[in-house]
Structures are given as C-alpha cells and as structure tokens.
Amino acid sequence: MDHIRILTTGRGIASRTVTNDDLSKVVDTSDDWIYPRTGIHSRQICGEGESVCTLAEEAVGKALEKGKTRFGIREEDIGCVVGATISGATATPSLSCLVQQALHLPEQIPVLDVNAACSGFVYALEVARGLLCANGKRYGLVFGAEALSRLLDWQDRTTCILFADGAGAALIERVPEKEVPYGSFLAARGGTEIVCGGVNTEDPHIRMDGKAVFRFAVTVIPVAAEGALSLAGVPADAISHVICHQANARILGHVMRKSTIPREKFFQNISTAGNTSAASIPSALAQMEEEGLLKEGDLLLLVGFGSGLTYAGMVIGYGRKEAEDEKAE
Ligand code: ACO
C-alpha cells in the first residue's frame, strides 16, 4: 500500500485571547493553580463571527494556497477531504462537507469527518491514505478543527481552564512505499473517562476524570510512539520532530523525561494554545512551518491520545526531499 507525506500546512487561530487571570473572574481559580498543573498561560477562543467552520476553512484554505504556490496543486487535484472534530457546528452536514463547499473543492471525491477526539487528526491522516490508495488520486486535504468553548461548562473549573478553539490542516501526497517511511499505529480502549454530550447523560458539556486521563496518557503515549516507529521501520534518532497532542505540559514533561528522543525535538505550544483536541497536532505543525522549523525531507512523529479512549502514533514525512536537494544544488 502506498505511503503519504505532508506537503504543506495551514491553521486558523481563534481571535479572542483568554488568560488565566480572565478565567479567575469567572470561576474560583488562579494562574498560580493553572500554570504549574497544566503549562497553560492563555488560550484562544472564537470571537464574534467565528466558528469551527470559519477556523477550518481558514486552515484548509491556507494549506491549499501554499500547495498552489509551492507545488502547483489545484483544487481539481484534490482526491479526498477528511476532517477530525468533536465539535462540528452541525451533526450533518459534516464539517468536511462545509469546508468542501466553501473552498469549491471537487465533487466526485470522498468527504467525511472522523471522530476520534484528540487522536482525530492522526486517525484522519490514515483514513485519507486509505481513500487515496483506493481511488488512485494523489492529493488529499486533512484537518482537525474544534470550537470546544461551545461545549464547555464555564462554571466547571476542572475543564474550562484546559480546552480551547482552533484549526489546523495538511495537504498530503500519496507516494510509493519506497519514497518515504511511514508508519501508522491506531488504537482505542473504550472508556468514559472523558465524555461530551449524549442521550444517556443529557449533559452537553465536556466532563473528565483528570487523574484517570493523566494515567492513561502517560501509559499510552510511549506505546503509540514505539508502535509507529516499529511499523515505519525507522529508529528513534531518524525523527526530526515529535508533535504530541498538546493536552497538558505535565503529561508532556513526564513523557519527555522517559523518552530516548532528546527533549528539544518535542514541539510545545500549550502555554498559549491550550488543549484544542483534534486541532492541536495540525495547528502545532502549521505553527512550526510558519516559524521555519520544518525542513523538506523531515521525518515527524505525531502522537495523539484522548477521549474514546483513543490513542495514535504516526511516522510521516514532511515536504519533498527532492525539493530540498534541488535547492542545495
Ligand atoms: N482552580 C483551582 N482549583 C481547582 C481547579 C482549578 N481550575 N480545578 C480543580 N481544583 C481543585 C479541586 O477542586 C481539588 O480541590 P479539593 O482538594 O479541595 O477537592 C484540587 O484542586 C485538586 O483537584 P484534582 O482534580 O485532584 O487536581 P489534579 O491535581 O488532578 O489536577 C488536572 C487536575 C490538571 C486536570 C490533572 O488531573 C491533569 O493534568 N489531568 C490530565 C487532564 C488532561 O490533560 N486532559 C486532557 C487530555 S484528554 C483530551 O485532550 C480530551
């Protein structure tokens, strides 16, 4: 089966900045409590006129624009659109279909959303690979987008301090196996440690057993990472950057201390992004691309974990190595 790689990325940033001090005016909390336990100083949430749809359109639109400029890829070249979200504006149409409509993407391609919470973007990449291998098209658009502020109980200080809004997207390319390593390790352990909505509870808000989630995360992150490396057949030192779901700096700190991969290879933006669930990995990638941290030919290790409970690891290439080699010549 062919592999995929990421060619370009884009992100949509919600415009309203909410600091820990702002939250302390709404619930009984403080920066002194939040920052040491989570690593979060501030987060972005949707402002006037913004929604999960506008954020997703912005992120996907930017990834596509860069694809046009850098690689000459056009709308009609796109072979699938796969979105990851738990906070789509409507149960149906899917968020992906709304993005397809807004960006005038082709009609005769599969377009769908995936619900795997914070592992959603990694799941969506693997789903997109399967779809491209099946329909023979070369390019796909994959995104994660969330407006979690809509699903929060703003009186619940155990959750409203953690979650935020945002979107990130990647333009991917299907390539022959030999061209670039790829490994995708997807897993789930059914459980209700993090829930949101549903007919059984009649509670529309995100609720979470924080301690259980912490234990789950630190256990499964190494499993997902090692699983992906093993499936890709590459050693850990081949990885240029590790992008973990930005859930909580303490979880990441714990994982980094135990990992053989050097700390400086772990990207972190939780302090200003908060936890944006399915959007966290792709928007981190887009931020890295904007900051010039990604080089053509880099090998990335993505790790997601979250509600479901789901977890997922992926080794995936960024850019066309050939493009970097040409630049160097
Ligand atoms: N401000 C002040 N006090 C608070 C707050 C707050 N925001 N939240 C809870 N407290 C209080 C509690 O009421 C409790 O008080 P008590 O001892 O008088 O009862 C005390 O602080 C300790 O509460 P705990 O829930 O035990 O706090 P804990 O040390 O476990 O930290 C946290 C909570 C930060 C959520 C931690 O459990 C954690 O990091 N869990 C991982 C959660 C996570 O990252 N989830 C997202 C990943 S999954 C996904 O992305 C969907």
Side-chain angles (χ1 to χ4, degrees):
M1 201 166 160
D2 283 344
H3 289 173
I4 51 169
R5 62 183 164 196
I6 294 172
L7 290 185
T8 63
T9 68
R11 62 175 171 158
I13 306 174
S15 65
R16 213 177 125 206
T17 305
V18 178
T19 64
N20 292 344
D21 288 340
D22 293 333
L23 284 177
S24 70
K25 294 179 189 120
V26 183
V27 284
D28 181 13
T29 193
S30 62
D31 185 55
D32 286 346
W33 195 94
I34 301 171
Y35 184 68
R37 285 171 181 80
T38 68
I40 302 171
H41 268 311
S42 63
R43 71 286 290 141
Q44 299 302 124
I45 69 167
C46 286
E48 191 70 26
E50 292 172 340
S51 68
V52 69
C53 302
T54 62
L55 295 177
E57 283 163 27
E58 188 182 349
V60 178
K62 283 181 182 164
L64 189 58
E65 265 323 299
K66 288 183 199 164
K68 280 184 196 171
T69 319
R70 288 191 208 156
F71 302 106
I73 298 163
R74 301 151 305 164
E75 278 83 354
E76 54 267 40
D77 299 322
I78 300 302
C80 69
V81 184
V82 186
T85 188
I86 58 163
S87 55
T90 46
T92 190
S94 67
L95 184 53
S96 298
C97 280
L98 296 174
V99 168
Q100 175 196 29
Q101 181 188 39
L103 299 181
H104 311 291
L105 296 170
E107 182 171 325
Q108 294 187 2
I109 59 168
V111 178
L112 75 156
D113 288 353
V114 165
N115 177 343
C118 309
S119 313
F121 180 70
V122 182
Y123 265 68
L125 284 169
E126 176 66 351
V127 169
R129 178 173 80 113
L131 293 170
L132 294 179
C133 288
N135 71 10
K137 308 256 187 205
R138 187 163 170 189
Y139 302 106
L141 286 163
V142 180
F143 67 90
E146 304 285 10
L148 300 176
S149 59
R150 206 170 57 79
L151 303 178
L152 291 173
D153 172 355
W154 288 96
Q155 299 306 312
D156 177 1
R157 66 180 180 172
T158 66
T159 52
C160 74
I161 56 150
L162 289 171
F163 297 101
D165 302 343
L171 171 61
I172 60 163
E173 178 181 34
R174 181 174 57 83
V175 286
E177 266 185 49
K178 272 188 247 141
E179 212 149 305
V180 60
Y182 176 84
S184 153
F185 177 95
L186 306 185
R189 176 199 299 173
T192 52
E193 289 82 347
I194 312 165
V195 291
C196 181
V199 285
N200 295 328
T201 63
E202 290 179 4
D203 176 356
H205 301 119
I206 297 175
R207 306 288 179 197
M208 180 186 67
D209 177 345
K211 282 191 170 35
V213 173
F214 196 102
R215 283 194 299 273
F216 167 73
V218 296
T219 311
V220 300
I221 292 171
V223 176
E226 281 154 29
L229 287 166
S230 156
L231 287 166
V234 296
D237 61 11
I239 296 299
S240 318
H241 301 280
V242 185
I243 302 97
C244 279
H245 165 48
Q246 305 288 304
N248 181 315
R250 258 173 42 180
I251 292 176
L252 290 180
H254 194 280
V255 167
M256 287 188 291
R257 275 194 299 281
K258 304 231 151 173
S259 174
T260 56
I261 300 177
R263 206 180 175 87
E264 56 276 14
K265 288 195 178 180
F266 285 77
F267 181 77
Q268 286 194 74
N269 66 358
I270 180 93
S271 67
T272 53
N275 179 341
T276 58
S277 191
S280 93
I281 293 175
S283 42
L285 282 171
Q287 182 178 340
M288 293 171 77
E289 188 180 62
E290 285 165 22
E291 291 175 1
L293 297 175
L294 299 180
K295 283 199 319 295
E296 308 268 351
D298 273 353
L299 214 47
L300 311 174
L301 174 59
L302 315 181
V303 184
F305 52 93
S307 183
L309 299 169
T310 58
Y311 53 110
M314 179 172 285
V315 170
I316 187 166
Y318 168 80
R320 288 184 179 152
K321 178 93 174 64
E322 314 84 87
E324 190 69 18
D325 294 344
E326 276 163 27
K327 259 193 265 166
E329 275 168 18

